[in-house]
């Protein structure tokens, strides 16, 4: 443990009940997208009474609360996302979702609660802070680009732009007490492609009178998977998955068209652009070779999440000083998931790390992961998360806790 006059982990544990209570209230009332009125109100209530400059997004339910330190200095932004997912919860918890078809299965309820507790902790040490802190409560992470909207509307820059940014994500497949991160690519870019192969429908007993798009769609799938292994550098990888393919209504009808949807994950602009050209070319030319046409719709998702190496070093040293040896693990490889905190990291240096929170008594390797209807966390890990937010802010502004 660090030999300082402030024990941030002890403070977070003292506030653990308020962290858990807020997390469970949010968990029971999950909201989707960028419009989260109930969640936003819970956040505003949680930070009410603190001496913060509170700004509310005009385009989303986002909130940015600024803490002015005891003397001028740098500024750091700490972020927590707030939205849930459109899926049915199957955990059986006493505080399970009360809304059918919605669940906090990605841990954003914990992220929001940890950040609110960190705000309380840091406000208690305002006079010690050599600079300012922004607390970014953000909606719309699950595909709705909430971070980008808040950046573009200027609410992040109001009152001063941050010199660094920090975000954290719970990981139920990592042991509690360990935070993981890496320099460079942390998460992938994610794009979606919708392809329609258009042929000529007809009777299944007379295929020569039609032009069947089903085998052509199958050719496209095979060609795409071949291209992944033959066209792309293994050290600049992509993942291409045809997650949906659909055609026809009945066994004795040749359909007019076949649809498929693809997710693409990549780490570099080069691989991302090459993949787009490859997908369009394969779909178009394969259809053309069979006297058909292909329509390709490209839906650009989040860019890659790229961590600043120096800031990761700062986070690692802070975590080790605050929690002891073994509390930080350097991740060898990036993850193929995606995050809209990537937009924030494109504009400001910083880092995005993962907080271990495997449920008690469960082997992390077998724990239900994020986006599972059975996803649960060890709530005790939230004290470490809140303390990490506070400690990283202190380290960046003050060069350590004093």
């Amino acid at each position: 443990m660090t030999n300082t006059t402030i024990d941030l982990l002890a403070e977070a544990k003292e506030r653990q009940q308020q962290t858990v209570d807020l997390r469970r209230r949010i968990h029971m009332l999950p909201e989707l997208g960028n419009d989260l009125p109930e969640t936003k109100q819970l956040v505003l209530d949680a930070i009410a009474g603190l001496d913060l400059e509170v700004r509310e997004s005009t385009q989303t339910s986002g909130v940015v609360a600024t803490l002015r330190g005891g003397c001028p200095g740098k500024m750091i932004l700490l972020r927590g996302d707030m939205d849930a997912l459109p899926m049915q919860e199957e955990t059986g918890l006493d505080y399970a979702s009360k809304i059918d078809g919605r669940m906090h299965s990605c841990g954003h309820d914990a992220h929001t609660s940890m950040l609110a507790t960190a705000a309380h902790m840091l406000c208690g040490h305002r006079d010690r802070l050599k600079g300012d802190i922004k607390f970014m409560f953000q909606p719309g992470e699950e595909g709705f680009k909430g971070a980008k909207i808040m950046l573009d509307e200027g609410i992040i820059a109001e009152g001063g732009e941050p010199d660094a940014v920090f975000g954290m994500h719970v990981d139920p497949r990592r042991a509690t007490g360990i935070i993981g991160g890496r320099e460079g690519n942390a998460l992938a870019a994610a794009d979606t492609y919708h392809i329609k192969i258009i042929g000529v429908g007809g009777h299944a007993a007379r295929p020569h009178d039609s032009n069947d798009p089903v085998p052509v769609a199958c050719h496209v799938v095979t060609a795409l998977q071949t291209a992944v292994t033959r066209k792309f550098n293994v050290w600049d990888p992509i993942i291409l998955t045809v997650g949906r393919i659909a055609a026809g209504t009945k066994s004795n009808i040749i359909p007019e068209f076949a649809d498929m949807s693809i997710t693409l994950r990549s780490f570099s602009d080069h691989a991302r652009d090459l993949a787009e050209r490859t997908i369009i070319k394969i779909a178009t030319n394969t259809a053309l070779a069979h006297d058909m046409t292909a329509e390709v719709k490209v839906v650009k998702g989040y860019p890659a999440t790229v961590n600043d190496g120096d800031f990761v070093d700062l986070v690692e040293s802070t975590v080790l000083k605050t929690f002891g040896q073994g509390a930080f693990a350097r991740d060898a490889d990036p993850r193929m998931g995606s995050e809209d905190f990537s937009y924030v990291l494109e504009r400001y240096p910083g880092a995005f790390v993962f907080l271990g929170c495997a449920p008690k008594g469960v082997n992390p390797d077998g724990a239900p992961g994020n986006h599972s209807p059975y996803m649960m966390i060890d709530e005790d890990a939230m004290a470490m998360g809140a303390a990490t937010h506070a400690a990283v802010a202190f380290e960046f502004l003050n060069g350590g806790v004093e």
Side-chain angles (χ1 to χ4, degrees):
M1 296 294 294
T2 180
N3 294 317
T4 63
T5 57
I6 303 175
D7 188 338
L8 293 171
L9 180 58
E11 288 191 19
K13 287 181 176 178
E14 289 176 2
R15 296 180 180 275
Q16 174 69 351
Q17 193 56 55
Q18 77 178 52
T19 311
V20 170
D21 287 347
L22 178 58
R23 185 245 166 174
R24 293 185 178 187
R25 290 200 299 273
I26 295 172
H27 190 91
M28 287 189 287
L29 298 171
E31 296 177 294
L32 309 178
N34 281 310
D35 185 19
L36 318 176
E38 292 188 76
T39 307
K40 175 182 175 179
Q41 190 58 53
L42 286 170
V43 167
L44 292 174
D45 291 345
I47 62 175
L50 298 178
D51 188 7
L52 299 169
E53 298 172 11
V54 178
R55 293 178 171 86
E56 300 180 33
S57 168
T58 59
Q59 299 180 32
T60 73
S61 291
V63 174
V64 177
T66 303
L67 166 61
R68 301 297 180 185
C71 61
K74 295 182 290 186
M75 176 181 285
I76 186 171
L77 178 145
L78 309 175
R79 178 268 209 164
D81 42 3
M82 303 189 293
D83 56 321
L85 282 159
M87 59 190 296
Q88 190 69 29
E89 180 163 355
E90 303 291 349
T91 62
L93 293 168
D94 292 341
Y95 53 89
S97 171
K98 292 184 176 180
I99 303 175
D100 286 343
R102 296 184 187 178
M103 178 188 176
H104 269 290
S105 56
C106 204
H108 297 186
D109 50 345
H111 302 167
T112 301
S113 305
M114 292 187 298
L115 187 60
T117 295
H120 279 266
M121 294 169 61
L122 289 163
C123 280
H125 298 292
R126 172 191 307 279
D127 293 342
R128 296 174 181 258
L129 293 170
K130 300 175 182 178
D132 305 328
I133 303 168
K134 289 191 174 185
F135 303 94
M136 177 186 181
F137 296 93
Q138 179 220 306
E141 192 283 321
E142 296 291 352
F144 293 89
K145 299 185 178 180
K148 186 177 188 301
I149 295 171
M150 292 179 70
L151 284 165
D152 290 347
E153 73 173 319
I155 189 173
I156 302 302
E158 284 183 35
E161 296 201 64
D163 298 291
V165 297
F166 179 65
M168 190 163 27
H169 202 294
V170 295
D171 182 0
R173 294 180 65 85
R174 189 190 295 272
T176 294
I178 299 176
I179 290 174
R182 70 188 310 275
E183 68 285 354
N185 285 321
L187 290 157
D191 301 312
T192 301
Y193 292 80
H194 300 289
I195 300 173
K196 175 180 281 190
I197 306 297
I198 303 170
V200 178
H203 199 293
R206 296 182 60 83
H208 54 285
D209 290 336
S210 306
N211 202 357
D212 190 350
V214 173
V216 177
C218 295
H219 283 305
V220 170
V221 173
T222 302
L224 289 172
Q225 299 299 347
T226 301
V228 170
T229 64
R230 289 293 168 268
K231 201 172 182 66
F232 292 85
N233 189 330
V234 68
W235 304 116
D236 188 11
I238 67 167
I239 286 180
L240 186 155
T241 298
V242 181
R244 174 184 173 274
I245 185 165
T249 57
K250 204 165 184 283
S251 63
N252 65 344
I253 300 173
I254 291 175
E256 181 182 358
F257 55 85
D259 288 319
M260 63 182 73
S261 296
I262 296 167
T263 187
L264 174 76
R265 307 298 167 113
S266 58
F267 290 115
S268 74
D269 289 340
H270 170 75
R272 195 180 191 186
D273 294 342
L274 176 60
E276 179 172 328
R277 295 195 304 271
T278 300
I279 292 168
I280 293 172
K281 185 182 294 184
I282 286 175
T284 302
N285 291 343
T286 302
L288 184 63
H290 293 83
D291 295 323
M292 298 184 195
T293 58
E295 295 177 354
V296 183
K297 179 182 178 183
V298 183
V299 182
K300 286 291 190 182
Y302 300 155
T305 302
V306 183
N307 286 338
D308 177 81
D310 290 340
F311 199 87
V312 173
D313 290 342
L314 180 146
V315 174
E316 179 178 25
S317 64
T318 301
V319 168
L320 294 178
K321 284 193 295 184
T322 306
F323 307 112
Q325 291 301 310
F328 190 90
R330 283 276 176 161
D331 290 337
D333 304 308
R335 303 180 182 210
M336 282 294 185
S338 66
E339 242 290 340
D340 81 339
F341 194 62
S342 55
Y343 292 116
V344 185
L345 286 169
E346 281 187 328
R347 196 165 303 188
Y348 308 108
F352 190 75
V353 301
F354 298 91
L355 172 68
C357 61
K360 287 183 172 63
V362 177
N363 185 327
D365 292 338
N370 295 321
H371 292 217
S372 164
Y374 302 97
M375 183 268 198
M376 293 185 285
I377 68 169
D378 177 1
E379 290 182 316
D380 287 348
M382 292 194 295
M384 185 178 186
T388 299
H389 275 305
V392 167
F394 259 115
E395 186 70 30
F396 181 73
L397 298 180
N398 292 26
V401 180
E402 298 179 348

